[in-house]
């Protein structure tokens, strides 16, 4: 209806985030630059929070379009309603690792081996979790443990958490103080 009446080439007002229409407002530019700086400096954790519908997922997709796939591996989790083991399985799968593990320790070992291999090839590994405010406390603790995967000189996995403002509140709980 809109396309024909206004002479549009595609349907407007689509609910799915499309990076082609990402508008860098001052706040979005600041968040985007924060992400790029954190990635460039290989900061361990990066946190982006905002209200519902403010463009966090579109920002995430825009970032993914800018990351050099020849130098960086990314695992993107859009469904945060996972157990610790399911999270590890999803991360391995997104990184393209064909897992043979049957238990959590095996998944962690495979992930560590993958990250060490990528680091030896000078490749950067990034885990991005969208809708992170929905992560359970045990899964958040598992993510913290993943941040301990490192060499003597650097972290092997960079973690970006993107979520609604409740994520910041959740991360400040005494139970998650570490």
């Amino acid at each position: 209806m809109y396309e024909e009446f206004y002479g549009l080439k595609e349907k407007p007002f689509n609910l799915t985030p499309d990076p082609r229409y990402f508008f860098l407002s001052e706040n979005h530019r600041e968040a985007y630059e924060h992400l790029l700086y954190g990635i460039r400096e290989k900061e361990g954790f990066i946190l982006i929070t905002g209200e519902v519908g403010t463009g966090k997922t579109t920002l995430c997709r825009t970032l993914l379009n800018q990351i050099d796939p020849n130098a960086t591996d990314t695992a993107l989790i859009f469904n945060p309603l996972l157990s610790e083991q399911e999270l590890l399985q999803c991360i391995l799968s997104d990184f393209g690792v064909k897992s043979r593990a049957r238990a959590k320790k095996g998944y962690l070992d495979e992930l560590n081996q993958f990250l060490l291999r990528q680091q030896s090839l000078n490749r950067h590994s990034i885990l991005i979790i969208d809708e992170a405010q929905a992560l359970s406390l045990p899964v958040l603790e598992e993510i913290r443990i993943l941040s301990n995967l490192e060499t003597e000189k650097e972290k092997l996995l960079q973690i970006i958490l993107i979520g609604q403002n409740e994520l910041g509140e959740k991360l400040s709980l005494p139970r998650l103080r570490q």
Side-chain angles (χ1 to χ4, degrees), residues 101-142:
R102 297 281 183 246
K104 185 175 161 182
K105 183 187 178 326
Y107 295 120
L108 283 169
D109 289 344
E110 286 177 341
L111 179 59
N112 193 47
Q113 289 168 8
F114 167 79
L115 295 171
L116 286 168
R117 192 169 45 253
Q118 297 311 92
Q119 192 257 355
S120 74
L121 298 170
N122 291 320
R123 293 187 61 83
H124 191 189
S125 299
I126 303 172
L127 168 62
I128 303 172
I129 302 178
D130 197 8
E131 300 295 339
Q133 76 281 350
L135 292 167
S136 69
L137 296 181
V139 171
L140 279 168
E141 177 61 15
E142 187 67 40

Side-chain angles (χ1 to χ4, degrees), residues 33-174:
E33 288 173 3
H34 176 70
L35 283 168
L36 292 176
Y37 175 81
I39 290 170
R40 188 174 45 253
E41 296 300 314
K42 297 188 176 180
E43 299 291 334
F45 272 102
I46 300 173
L47 176 66
I48 298 289
T49 61
E51 288 295 330
V52 175
T54 55
K56 297 178 300 297
T57 300
T58 307
L59 176 72
C60 176
R61 290 182 188 261
T62 301
L63 174 71
L64 287 171
N65 287 339
Q66 295 300 311
I67 292 175
D68 180 5
N70 296 316
T72 307
D73 298 295
T74 58
L76 177 59
I77 307 297
F78 276 113
N79 174 14
L81 301 175
L82 303 166
S83 69
E84 298 104 301
Q85 185 164 314
E86 290 168 335
L87 174 71
L88 294 170
Q89 290 170 320
C90 285
I91 293 169
L92 286 166
S93 176
D94 247 36
F95 277 138
V97 176
K98 303 271 191 251
S99 177
R100 293 190 302 252
R102 297 281 183 246
K104 185 175 161 182
K105 183 187 178 326
Y107 295 120
L108 283 169
D109 289 344
E110 286 177 341
L111 179 59
N112 193 47
Q113 289 168 8
F114 167 79
L115 295 171
L116 286 168
R117 192 169 45 253
Q118 297 311 92
Q119 192 257 355
S120 74
L121 298 170
N122 291 320
R123 293 187 61 83
H124 191 189
S125 299
I126 303 172
L127 168 62
I128 303 172
I129 302 178
D130 197 8
E131 300 295 339
Q133 76 281 350
L135 292 167
S136 69
L137 296 181
V139 171
L140 279 168
E141 177 61 15
E142 187 67 40
I143 292 167
R144 187 190 69 77
I145 299 294
L146 292 178
S147 75
N148 290 336
L149 298 174
E150 58 194 6
T151 65
E152 292 176 355
K153 295 185 178 189
E154 66 183 351
K155 298 284 186 187
L156 294 175
L157 181 64
Q158 188 163 19
I159 301 168
I160 300 173
L161 299 177
I162 300 174
Q164 295 169 20
N165 293 330
E166 297 87 351
L167 176 58
E169 296 166 15
K170 188 179 265 189
L171 292 174
S172 66
L173 291 172

